[in-house]
Amino acid sequence: MSGTIISPIHDLLNDLHGRLQEERGGEVATYIPELGKADPEWFGVAVATLDGVLYEAGDTEVPFTIQSVSKPFVYALALQDRGMERVLQQVGVEPTGDAFNAVRLEPETGRPYNPMVNAGAIVTSSLVDGADAEARLDRILAGLSAFAGRPLAVDHKVLVSEAATGDRNRALAYLMHGAGSLRCDVDDSLTVYFAQCSTLVTTRDLAVMTATLAGGGVNPITGQQVVSVEAAAGALTVMATCGTYDYAGEWLMRAGLPAKSGVSGGLIAALPSQLGLGVFSPPLDPRGNSVRGVAACQELSGRFGLHLMRPTERPGPVFHRTLRGDTAHSSRVRCHDERAALTRAGRAIAVYEVRGDLAFNAAEEVVRTITADTESVRWVILDLLRAGRVQTVAATLLEAMAAKLGERGITMVVVDSEQGVPLPSAIVAATRDAALELCEDALLAAEDAARHSVSLHEQDLLRALDDDLVYALRDYLETRDYQPGERLVEDVAALAFILSGGLAREVVVGGRAVRETSMGPGTAVGRLALLDDTGHAHRIVAEGPTRCEVLTTANLTRLERENARLVDALRWSIARALAARLHRADAENHALMR
Ligand code: GLU
């Protein structure tokens, strides 16, 4: 396929294909005469990934009849249409170790042993939706086509050939009808089954169809949910236990993949959640499996490390970083007293930044770590912004933890902007900053350390000034009250001391105001405080009812004229405050870099 030509995976497939093409063992099946016409040299290998990329080598576009490789797909359709319990009533799931056409039913129930042997497959195709044989066949053809992602058709010559020589299947069907496990008309059932087996596919189709099973029923090319996750898993399960006739046990031992083979030389193998493999080469070994197909799958399984029973690589550490609220702070600018309280008591806020996918094992570690440390912690921030897929089991464990923490008076805040992991017992915040600010506010309230109003002489910028200077400053200030959302007009405010309420700095992005940071009572804003009088991309708005003492630009000019000592003291104070803020930012960066 285009774009994959220089891929090393492509080279690897070509190399494998070239070597195995030389393998001349095996016999083309002839018991269905039409199949005997196959060219023993045909050999195609295709791999489909779950995001719809195909890697191919050899004759991947030669059409052939799907035969028994149809069985897991039709089983998935039956599970989808009838549900597992109903299907199990009529077809078992026990491996037989018998040949594909063995005439043997479960003695007690008369059920065929599993849906991968002919007997089980005949019953399975009678179980899909459809009032009559025609409707069932339509359902099967449409279903197989949806698995392949393109319309498939039946090869009538092979169909006629199968029907003419299908006495063994006919015998099986009569036996099962007599035993009650086949409840549809015998001829009808066989017509559907023969047509199903005579459906034309290519190696490429097989890879896509198998990737659909591996991807929980979603076709990687079309994106269609062909069958449910449960139905796809059911098909993979029987492939694992009974997919390669009486070789199923050894196959699983060697290749470690759910698989299914058919007499026309098709072979599929799936790695759940990762890929689908399709191989086609007509010569069969004595058990009816494609000689080159078996060799190709086993080699690919080994080289790509696909064996299901071998442990996967251990994922990296679950925690990207853990922080405490005494060193990591939100961007809210707080007055001296609040800062002091956070430095003193901030360890009660714990931040856990999680990375990677969260399946059971990672979630277990998260839950274990967080719950082990509840003595000093009152607020837990779980930052999922770096997490990959959060599986249902992980979400369930996290929610149960949030509920338990809640019972102990510990609040959990989850930072999750995209996934919407369902955690009703936690508070959701869009950013870590917002989560921290929320927890800091709660901690300050709990510590009785929140400053709701701060008088002028206690303002951060004025604390170090002599009383007479603060007193003199009053003459130049104007008290202003702002309504929530009201904007401070910046050319008026050279400096605004916040007495009560709070201000937010917003930037306008694409016509929408985005809150950047905020300031509480005791802190100041304005051109003078920021020491910049260039144009502003941001704007300052009141968060709630807010009272400020404002030094307007006009009054600043007057002040500069009348009291040079005061202006000087103010400028020094601002410089010291800025230096202190830089120090804090440095310390914080340091803490974050650990
Ligand atoms: N249509 C073939 C049969 O029933 C399928 C057998 C197979 O591929 O295993 O004989």
Side-chain angles (χ1 to χ4, degrees):
M1 75 156 277
S2 62
T4 60
I5 302 307
I6 63 156
S7 161
I9 298 177
H10 198 261
D11 294 345
L12 200 138
L13 279 192
N14 273 334
D15 166 66
L16 168 133
H17 182 271
R19 273 185 292 109
L20 294 182
Q21 183 77 62
E22 301 309 313
E23 169 66 68
R24 295 266 146 44
E27 298 288 334
V28 175
T30 51
Y31 77 104
I32 298 171
E34 272 299 307
L35 293 184
K37 296 180 180 166
D39 181 348
E41 288 298 297
W42 280 333
F43 180 27
V45 189
V47 178
T49 65
L50 294 201
D51 53 359
V53 175
L54 273 162
Y55 296 95
E56 305 174 61
D59 307 310
T60 54
E61 288 175 73
V62 172
F64 57 94
T65 56
I66 188 170
Q67 298 300 334
S68 278
V69 178
S70 62
K71 290 170 182 175
F73 299 102
V74 175
Y75 186 61
L77 296 174
L79 289 174
Q80 173 76 27
D81 292 350
R82 302 285 158 152
M84 185 172 82
E85 295 310 324
R86 176 73 178 73
V87 172
L88 280 178
Q89 277 173 15
Q90 281 177 255
V91 190
V93 282
E94 303 310 329
T96 57
D98 285 340
F100 68 103
N101 57 3
V103 181
R104 200 158 74 96
L105 302 175
E106 276 181 4
E108 305 280 296
T109 59
R111 283 190 313 178
Y113 278 90
N114 67 64
M116 301 292 102
V117 291
N118 286 4
I122 294 168
V123 177
T124 304
S125 49
S126 79
L127 282 171
V128 301
D129 267 349
D132 54 22
E134 204 184 330
R136 285 198 294 279
L137 182 55
D138 284 349
R139 163 72 177 136
I140 289 173
L141 268 181
L144 293 176
S145 301
F147 274 112
R150 70 174 187 102
L152 301 178
V154 170
D155 180 329
H156 285 277
K157 277 193 183 155
V158 176
L159 170 59
V160 171
S161 189
E162 286 220 23
T165 54
D167 283 346
R168 227 184 144 91
N169 287 328
R170 214 161 271 120
L172 275 170
Y174 276 110
L175 259 179
M176 294 189 293
H177 197 261
S181 49
L182 178 65
R183 298 186 193 159
C184 293
D185 176 78
V186 166
D187 284 331
D188 277 358
S189 306
L190 289 169
T191 306
V192 175
Y193 170 72
F194 290 146
Q196 164 193 324
C197 291
S198 305
T199 302
L200 284 166
V201 290
T202 64
T203 311
R204 185 186 286 179
D205 290 330
L206 290 188
V208 174
M209 294 171 83
T210 310
T212 303
L213 288 181
V218 178
N219 182 304
I221 307 283
T222 64
Q224 186 191 348
Q225 181 89 47
V226 179
V227 290
S228 64
V229 171
E230 292 75 20
L236 291 172
T237 306
V238 289
M239 282 164 68
T241 52
C242 338
T244 44
Y245 309 117
D246 38 343
Y247 182 61
E250 189 171 332
W251 166 271
L252 196 57
M253 186 82 170
R254 290 184 188 278
L257 295 172
K260 184 70 195 96
S261 56
V263 289
S264 54
L267 177 63
I268 58 169
L271 183 64
S273 306
Q274 292 197 38
L275 53 82
L277 272 175
V279 191
F280 166 60
S281 166
L284 308 179
D285 66 20
R287 280 146 149 172
N289 298 308
S290 166
V291 173
R292 292 191 188 105
V294 169
C297 283
Q298 291 187 353
E299 181 172 331
L300 285 176
S301 169
R303 295 190 69 163
F304 292 169
L306 307 181
H307 199 296
L308 261 184
M309 306 304 167
R310 305 216 173 113
T312 47
E313 300 272 309
R314 257 193 80 80
V318 178
F319 292 109
H320 172 70
R321 196 157 57 180
T322 59
L323 303 163
R324 287 298 184 101
D326 53 349
T327 46
H329 300 299
S330 72
S331 67
R332 182 171 176 89
V333 184
R334 298 180 182 279
C335 67
H336 171 271
D337 292 352
E338 290 192 351
R339 288 201 308 274
L342 289 179
T343 307
R344 191 182 68 244
R347 283 193 67 75
I349 300 171
V351 185
Y352 298 91
E353 293 180 9
V354 169
R355 54 172 289 283
D357 288 343
L358 287 187
F360 172 79
N361 53 350
E364 183 275 335
E365 190 177 337
V366 170
V367 166
R368 168 166 33 100
T369 308
I370 294 179
T371 53
D373 193 7
T374 52
E375 284 308 305
S376 60
V377 175
R378 298 257 88 38
W379 291 270
V380 167
I381 297 176
L382 181 64
D383 184 347
L384 295 181
L385 292 185
R386 282 188 182 77
R389 224 165 75 85
V390 178
Q391 287 192 7
T392 312
V393 57
T396 310
L397 284 174
L398 295 177
E399 165 55 19
M401 173 178 73
K404 284 195 103 160
L405 292 175
E407 284 165 20
R408 290 161 176 257
I410 300 170
T411 304
M412 186 162 118
V413 181
V414 60
V415 185
D416 176 23
S417 62
E418 271 156 34
Q419 304 204 42
V421 179
L423 297 173
S425 299
I427 298 170
V428 180
T431 62
R432 195 194 64 178
D433 191 49
L436 264 171
E437 186 178 331
L438 189 148
C439 294
E440 288 168 359
D441 285 344
L443 179 131
L444 291 171
E447 292 280 311
D448 216 5
R451 295 296 308 264
H452 299 294
S453 68
V454 176
S455 65
L456 194 64
H457 71 268
E458 285 180 299
Q459 292 284 321
D460 274 12
L461 283 183
L462 307 179
R463 298 164 64 91
L465 260 60
D466 292 341
D467 279 353
D468 62 318
L469 284 180
V470 179
Y471 192 78
L473 180 62
R474 284 176 193 278
D475 280 348
Y476 299 87
L477 298 178
E478 290 170 15
T479 309
R480 296 264 170 93
D481 284 304
Y482 296 95
Q483 298 308 310
E486 195 179 333
R487 212 178 141 186
L488 265 72
V489 183
E490 287 151 37
D491 52 342
V492 172
L495 198 55
F497 297 97
I498 307 170
L499 298 188
S500 63
L503 300 174
R505 191 171 77 202
E506 295 179 340
V507 280
V508 180
V509 186
R512 222 169 51 93
V514 178
R515 184 179 188 261
E516 268 191 346
T517 180
S518 65
M519 292 130 268
T523 69
V525 288
R527 291 191 165 189
L528 193 59
L530 296 165
L531 292 181
D532 74 315
D533 24 36
T534 51
H536 292 289
H538 64 255
R539 61 191 200 189
I540 307 284
V541 296
E543 290 203 296
T546 298
R547 170 163 291 189
C548 296
E549 286 292 343
V550 173
L551 175 66
T552 62
T553 323
N555 280 345
L556 175 61
T557 314
R558 188 160 64 85
L559 176 64
E560 277 167 339
R561 222 176 29 237
E562 295 172 1
N563 194 338
R565 189 166 79 91
L566 175 49
V567 174
D568 210 36
L570 261 183
R571 290 219 160 99
W572 273 112
S573 183
I574 289 169
R576 269 195 302 273
L578 284 176
R581 202 187 291 177
L582 277 179
H583 266 124
R584 284 200 300 278
D586 274 353
E588 192 132 320
N589 274 341
H590 208 75
L592 291 180
M593 259 144 41
R594 264 186 292 134

